Amino acid sequence: MSEVRKFRNVNGANAEKTPQSVEMLLAQMTLAEKIGQMTQPEKNSVPPEDVAQYALGSVLSGGGGNPSLNNPQNWSEMTQAFIDAGHESRLGIPVIYGADCVHGHNNVYGATVFPHNIGLGATRDADLVERIGAATAREMIATNVFWNFSPCLAVPQDYRWGRTFEGFGGDTALVSELGAAYVRGLQGAGVAACIKHYVGDGGAEWDTHRSVSWATFWEDNGGAWKIDHGDVNVDEPTFRAVHLAPYLAALAEGALTVMASFSSWRGLKMHGHRYLLTDVLKNELGFGGFIVTDWMGINQLSPDWYTCVVQSINAGVDMVMVPFDYKSFIAAVTEAVTRGDIRMSRIDDAVRRILTVKQMLGLFETDLGTPEMVSSVGGADHRSLAREAVRKSAVLLKNELATLPITAETETILLAGAAADDMGMQCGGWTLNWQGEKGATVPGTTLRMALTARLADKMILYDATGTFSVQARLGIVVVGEQPYAEGCGDVDDLTLSAADLEVIQRVRAQCDKLALIIYSGRPLIINDALPLCDAIVAAWLPGSEGAGLADVLSGDHPFTGKLPHDWIASMDQLPQAARKDAGLVPLFPYGHGLTTGAL
Ligand code: BGC
Ligand code: BGC
């Protein structure tokens, strides 16, 4: 890898002044070039020639924004075409390419897929999270991606929300500690973090999504969108204490960019929230990097596009993830500046921030990645780091009859549940594409593969449906959620499916002891399964390295994971605040997690 780049901190009282070179560049730029820098289309909507012609500031890959033959080499060539175009623009201002590398460089086939953040929260291990940030950055740099729309600093309050797994947990202090560690890891290795979604995304309430132009879009697309994009209705001291606090920790680490949230606070959408974007983030907290909007996020401000553009930029956003019709965005900003609806000083402030971040990242230099690095994507050292994360993230909720770890006397194991051998379910959403998908999606090790390799001396019989004719000492059933992302995962019933329960019942009848493993992006309602299972493991969405689970199941390593959320007993225990007010106790509290000795 290239040498570690150390950034000075752009944020806070000790931030240095804008570099001289940025001021000189700004002085040479036309209005059109400045507006170009503030524009971010998605790669499928823009030919590289337009990047050069309009001096576009950034291009992104949305979830699944992959080359048609998806591999690290083609990813690298795809991004390079846009980067070359930036260098060919009149002033040669480099493009910053962005992607959602939210659990590794997860769009790229062959990349290491780490556990989603909820699992990292269960590890309670900031050093591990920092190392994962650095490893993710190295895989990104190999494909010329220097900007990660991560980490998500949400503090999810109601896990009917489909983005619960993107946050480290339900406790602000935990999110602050691990979010800061991740920023340190990423930026220490030369990639800009983008802390998101500013601010309060994890506090949105059920059925409060009142978007102007998107409601029908999502209905047409069969989306649920019940919490995601919704409204947070708490007073300012609570809002700051619960949701803003992690940003202070990440800004202290020098986080270079911030993404505005689709959500609103007491009825006012964040994309137009001048108080929170400008007064609080930039002025009070001294944020010196730039704010990017979320995907079509400004469209929700008004049915009128011109109003959307003017309001959001005046509220303080610096770069707009358009992501499709960048020409109409450029036209609207140009008109607004000409008419005096957006001041030139606001444009200059936005561009100064964008150029400063590019300068700090070293993007004005060429040849930042080296061809050899492409082969490091998904390399053995990163996979072994992911395996360490998987074993540290597994939370042992229940363990009676000393069911786990698997004992030496166990000769036959009945392994059941489709999830036991399904890489896509093991990885969840944001894997190769936006929503993720079932099946043999990415290279890695499923739990079935890992157990078969580790326990070669035992007979492991596998049936997805749990139909066995023999009796055995141990049964292991793996169940869980189907992959989803964002509002598509907003659901009001988190009960384990009837089909999963049937698999558990079938295997129960054939074994002496039964261990249940759950793959999920959040706590599920498991009351019916509880009495049937002697041991239960919450494995979250562990990613490509199932061997980490075999490490703890086999007893090679002890279980050490701790719950990053209260594990509720029934749906009427949500939202959490209402449960606490009513004095209802969860099935397992935050911090719960049994340990096992190594054999
Ligand atoms: C893109 C995602 C994006 C989403 C916006 C999808 O089509 O692939 O990257 O987050 O739209 O809601
Ligand atoms: C998501 C963001 C993501 C963006 C780009 C949006 O839909 O809310 O988290 O960074 O798409 O894919």
Side-chain angles (χ1 to χ4, degrees), residues 229-311:
H229 299 206
D231 187 53
V232 190
N233 187 16
V234 294
D235 63 20
E236 182 158 352
T238 309
F239 191 71
R240 282 178 178 254
V242 176
H243 301 289
L244 185 65
Y247 286 86
L248 273 61
L251 292 175
E253 291 298 337
L256 287 167
T257 73
V258 172
M259 185 184 291
S261 180
F262 283 130
S263 56
S264 53
W265 178 41
R266 296 200 277 189
L268 198 57
K269 280 280 172 194
M270 283 305 311
H271 278 75
H273 213 300
R274 191 200 288 246
Y275 171 66
L276 287 169
L277 295 175
T278 297
D279 299 348
V280 173
L281 180 60
K282 291 182 173 174
N283 297 339
E284 181 187 321
L285 303 180
F287 172 57
F290 70 86
I291 302 175
V292 66
T293 68
D294 204 340
W295 182 279
M296 287 172 89
I298 70 171
N299 303 42
Q300 299 190 17
L301 295 178
S302 160
D304 174 54
W305 175 235
Y306 182 78
T307 306
C308 295
V309 171
V310 170
Q311 273 185 10

Side-chain angles (χ1 to χ4, degrees), residues 42 60-65 100 163 214 217-218 225 228-229 262 294-296 321 323-324 430 433-435 486:
E42 210 269 348
L60 88 144
S61 274
D100 297 281
R163 308 194 80 159
W214 273 33
F217 172 83
W218 291 125
W225 272 272
D228 200 39
H229 299 206
F262 283 130
D294 204 340
W295 182 279
M296 287 172 89
M321 188 184 286
F324 305 113
W430 295 107
N433 57 49
W434 184 32
Q435 294 292 322
E486 301 191 40

Side-chain angles (χ1 to χ4, degrees), residues 66-322:
N66 301 320
S68 44
L69 178 60
N70 185 359
N71 61 41
Q73 183 61 40
N74 288 350
W75 249 87
S76 170
E77 284 166 19
M78 172 183 89
T79 56
Q80 191 65 50
F82 292 107
I83 290 165
D84 289 346
H87 290 300
E88 283 154 21
S89 64
R90 185 181 74 95
L91 293 169
I93 303 177
V95 159
I96 181 168
Y97 200 99
D100 297 281
C101 311
V102 299
H103 61 149
H105 198 356
N106 41 249
N107 281 301
V108 179
Y109 182 87
T112 310
V113 182
F114 292 92
H116 270 297
N117 287 347
I118 194 170
L120 300 185
T123 70
R124 301 294 201 273
D125 188 338
D127 172 69
L128 171 72
V129 172
E130 182 174 341
R131 287 183 282 135
I132 289 174
T136 301
R138 286 194 291 273
E139 299 206 7
M140 292 173 64
I141 292 172
T143 61
N144 309 308
V145 182
F146 287 88
W147 189 14
N148 191 353
F149 305 132
S150 181
C152 176
L153 299 182
V155 188
Q157 303 294 298
D158 183 338
Y159 27 81
R160 287 176 289 182
W161 188 35
R163 308 194 80 159
T164 301
F165 64 78
E166 295 188 51
F168 295 102
D171 177 65
T172 299
L174 178 68
V175 175
S176 302
E177 187 194 1
L178 299 187
Y182 188 88
V183 169
R184 210 157 46 236
L186 268 184
Q187 296 200 167
V191 159
C194 184
I195 48 182
K196 72 184 188 185
H197 307 82
Y198 183 84
V199 52
D201 52 350
E205 294 177 16
W206 187 260
D207 233 351
T208 57
H209 178 17
R210 288 184 217 96
S211 118
V212 181
S213 58
W214 273 33
T216 52
F217 172 83
W218 291 125
E219 276 157 28
D220 294 349
N221 286 274
W225 272 272
K226 286 296 191 181
I227 292 187
D228 200 39
H229 299 206
D231 187 53
V232 190
N233 187 16
V234 294
D235 63 20
E236 182 158 352
T238 309
F239 191 71
R240 282 178 178 254
V242 176
H243 301 289
L244 185 65
Y247 286 86
L248 273 61
L251 292 175
E253 291 298 337
L256 287 167
T257 73
V258 172
M259 185 184 291
S261 180
F262 283 130
S263 56
S264 53
W265 178 41
R266 296 200 277 189
L268 198 57
K269 280 280 172 194
M270 283 305 311
H271 278 75
H273 213 300
R274 191 200 288 246
Y275 171 66
L276 287 169
L277 295 175
T278 297
D279 299 348
V280 173
L281 180 60
K282 291 182 173 174
N283 297 339
E284 181 187 321
L285 303 180
F287 172 57
F290 70 86
I291 302 175
V292 66
T293 68
D294 204 340
W295 182 279
M296 287 172 89
I298 70 171
N299 303 42
Q300 299 190 17
L301 295 178
S302 160
D304 174 54
W305 175 235
Y306 182 78
T307 306
C308 295
V309 171
V310 170
Q311 273 185 10
S312 58
I313 291 174
N314 285 338
V317 306
D318 303 303
M319 182 185 280
V320 173
M321 188 184 286
V322 185

